[in-house]
Amino acid sequence: MLTIGELASYAGVTVRAVRHYHAKGLLPEPERDHSGYRRYDAGAVIELIKIRTLAEAGVPLARVRELLRADEAEFAAAVAEIDTRLRAEIRERQRHRRRIARLAAGDNLALPREVAGFLDRLRALGVDERIIRVERDGWVALAAQAPGRVREWVARKQEQLAGSGLVDFYLTLGQALDRTGDDPRLVELADKLADYLSRIAEEQGERYVDDADIAPPLATLMDALAFDTVPPARRLIELLEQRGWTGWTRLTRVQPARGRGRAAGRADAAGPGGARAGYPPPGVTSPDS
Amino acid sequence: MLTIGELASYAGVTVRAVRHYHAKGLLPEPERDHSGYRRYDAGAVIELIKIRTLAEAGVPLARVRELLRADEAEFAAAVAEIDTRLRAEIRERQRHRRRIARLAAGDNLALPREVAGFLDRLRALGVDERIIRVERDGWVALAAQAPGRVREWVARKQEQLAGSGLVDFYLTLGQALDRTGDDPRLVELADKLADYLSRIAEEQGERYVDDADIAPPLATLMDALAFDTVPPARRLIELLEQRGWTGWTRLTRVQPARGRGRAAGRADAAGPGGARAGYPPPGVTSPDS
DNA sequence: GTGCAGGGCTGCCCCTGGGGCAGGGTCAAC
DNA sequence: GTTGACCCTGCCCCAGGGGCAGCCCTGCAC
C-alpha cells in the first residue's frame, strides 16, 4: 500500500495535486489507515497517470472527469472541442502579441498611429500644447468608440488642415487661452473665431462645420474633457455664444444671445467655443449600444 | 460628471471591471456624491481607456499599474517581457494540441503508440487478456517515469518476443493463472517456467533475465499492480521461489527455498514469478528524484 | 524512552480577471 | 406613487493548485 507521497511521486505529480483531484472527484478517496492516512493500491497510480496525461494535454479538470469514463465517440468529440478551444486561445494570444507590438511601436497607449501623426503635425505648426492635449484626449475617446473609423476621420482632418484655414483657427484659439476673462483682446479673438466659422459655414455649408455625427453624449464627454484640461475655454464659449455659435466639440449656429443666454442641457454639455470644427465626420456608435 | 455606468460604456468596459480596477488600484477611486455614488470626471474615461488598451493586449493587471506610470525604456522592457510570456503560452498550447491529437489518435490514455502495438501483438499471439492488462499497467507506470526510453525498451521486448521463446513463457503463464493452489498441473507449469528462465539465463547471461535497471521501488509497485490484477500469481511466485527464482517484475536467482523460505522485504515486494523476463532494460529515473 | 526529521492531516487564504447574485438604496420619468 | 434602471457592498464562483498554520504520526537513532 502506498502513501499519498509515494503515489504522487510514481505518477509524477505533487501531493497537493492529488488532494486537489480528490476534492474535484477525479480520483476516488481511498481507505484510511488507523491513523487517518490515505492508503492507495497500485491501481491508483495508473488512474492518476491517466489524469495527469489528460491534464497535461490541456484538458480542464472538469472534463477530465468525464473523459475518464467516456467511450470512443464521446472521447473523440470532447477532444475535438478541446482542440478548438486551444486554437482559439492561441489566436487570442497572437492577437495580443500584435497589439503590444503596436503599443511598443509608439502608439501612445490608445492612440492609433495616424492620430499621433496628426498631433505631431499640429505641434510642428506651432499649435499650443494645451490644445494638442485636448485634441489627443478627444481622439482617444473617439477611437475607443469607433476604432474602425479613425483613419478616415484623421484623413479628413488633415485635409482641412491643409486647405481651409484651420491652422489659423487653432493658432487664434491658442492665443485666446492666455487671456483672462476681462482682457479686451479676448473679445477681439472671439470675433476672429466667429468670423472664421461663419466664413467656413458659408463656403462649405453648415454641415462642414458640424458634420461630425458624433453621438451627443460623446460630444458632451469630449466637451467636458476640453474644459477640464483648458478651463479658460469656458469664457471663450460664452463670448462665441454671443456671436452665434454654440457647442465646442460640435459647433452649431444659434440666435446670438446677448445677455446670459445659456442653452439648456445638462452640466457642461452646451456653450460655445471651437477647437474642433466638428470633430471629424460620421457615424459614431452610441455608447449606449 | 459621469456615473460608473456612463464611464464604463464610454470606455467600452463593464461596470464590474471598473470596480475591479478600483480594487486593484489601477484607477483611483473618485469622489462620491451625496448618496454614495461614484462620480467621475471626463479624464477618468481616458485613464480607463488606457487600462483597457493594455489589458486587451494581454498585459496582466498587476503590470498595467506599473505601465501606466512607466517611462519609455521601462515600457519597452515590460512589453518585451510580456511578449515573451505570450510566446511561451502559445507554445504551451501548441504542445497541448499535439498531445491531445495523439490521445485522439489512439494512445490509450497514457500508452505510447509503440506499446499499444506491442500489446496488440501479444493479443494476436493468443496471450491471456489478464496478462495483457498487467503488461499494459506496467508500461503505463514505466512510461510515466521515463517516457523517453519507452521506445527503446519496447523495441527490445519485441525482439525477445521474436527470438527467445518469450511467447511460450507468456502462454505457459496464462495457463498457470487458471490453476488453483492445489492443482498439480500448476507445479508442472512452475517447473516449465523455471526451466525456461534457467535456459535463458544460461544462453544470454543472468543480466538478460534481470537487466531492467528499474528502480527497486518502481519494481515493487509493478509487482503490486500485477498481484492486484491477477491474484493467482502469488501462488505461482511461491512455487518459482522453491525453484530458484525470486521477484516478478525483476527476476533474480536465489537459493532454492524448500519450505517457507520467504525473502525479506516489505509487503509484496519479493516472491518469485515471471511475466516480464526483466521489464525492458535500463536507467529508470528514481521516483524520489 | 526520548528526541528529531520527515511525513501526513485539515483548513484557510492567495493568485487572474472578473461574472453573478443578494439585498438594499437612489434617481428620474410617468 | 410607482416602476424600472442604476448604484452600493459583500460574498461565492471558475482553474489549478501554492503556501502556510497547527497538529498528529511514524520510523530511526541514540
Side-chain angles (χ1 to χ4, degrees), chain B residues 7 18 21-29 40 44 47-48 51 68:
Chain B
L7 170 70
V18 175
Y21 298 157
H22 284 320
K24 292 274 161 182
L26 302 192
L27 192 65
E29 282 275 4
Y40 299 87
E47 271 307 288
L48 184 51
I51 293 170
L68 287 173

Side-chain angles (χ1 to χ4, degrees), chain A residues 181 190 227 232-245 247-248 257-262 270-273:
Chain A
F227 298 147
R234 289 183 191 277
R235 172 70 184 136
L236 195 61
I237 284 169
E238 288 174 16
L239 291 172
L240 274 179
E241 190 164 5
Q242 292 164 14
R243 284 159 184 76
W245 291 96
W248 169 269
R258 275 301 147 193
R260 290 270 96 190
R262 301 286 307 229

Side-chain angles (χ1 to χ4, degrees), chain B residues 29 31 60 113 122 160 178 182 192-193 200 216 232 256-257 265 268 270 274 281:
Chain B
E29 282 275 4
E31 303 289 299
R113 241 189 314 285
L122 289 187
Q160 292 178 8
D178 287 327
D182 296 343
K192 205 170 153 193
L193 287 175
I200 293 297
D268 298 311

Side-chain angles (χ1 to χ4, degrees), chain A residues 124-139:
Chain A
L125 289 168
V127 172
D128 190 283
E129 195 58 37
R130 290 165 294 181
I131 291 177
I132 291 176
R133 270 227 305 286
V134 170
E135 279 286 332
R136 188 197 59 195
D137 287 352
W139 283 103

Side-chain angles (χ1 to χ4, degrees), chain B residues 14 16-17 20-21 24 34-35 37 60-62:
Chain B
T14 65
R16 190 67 180 72
H20 192 58
Y21 298 157
K24 292 274 161 182
H34 64 96
S35 59
Y37 287 17
L61 296 193

Side-chain angles (χ1 to χ4, degrees), chain A residues 29-41:
Chain A
E29 282 277 3
E31 303 290 295
R32 306 299 180 107
D33 68 10
H34 63 95
S35 59
Y37 287 17
R38 293 177 180 86
R39 289 296 176 172
Y40 300 87
D41 59 28

Side-chain angles (χ1 to χ4, degrees), chain A residues 57-58 60 81-97, chain B residues 86 89-94 96-97:
Chain A
E81 192 190 319
I82 291 161
D83 189 63
T84 302
R85 183 179 55 80
L86 287 173
R87 266 183 301 158
E89 288 178 7
I90 288 173
R91 268 199 306 276
E92 189 187 355
R93 269 133 185 108
Q94 283 166 343
R95 228 180 42 236
H96 286 168
R97 287 196 66 198
Chain B
L86 287 173
E89 287 178 7
I90 288 172
R91 269 201 305 276
E92 189 187 355
R93 265 124 187 118
Q94 283 165 344
H96 286 169
R97 287 195 65 199

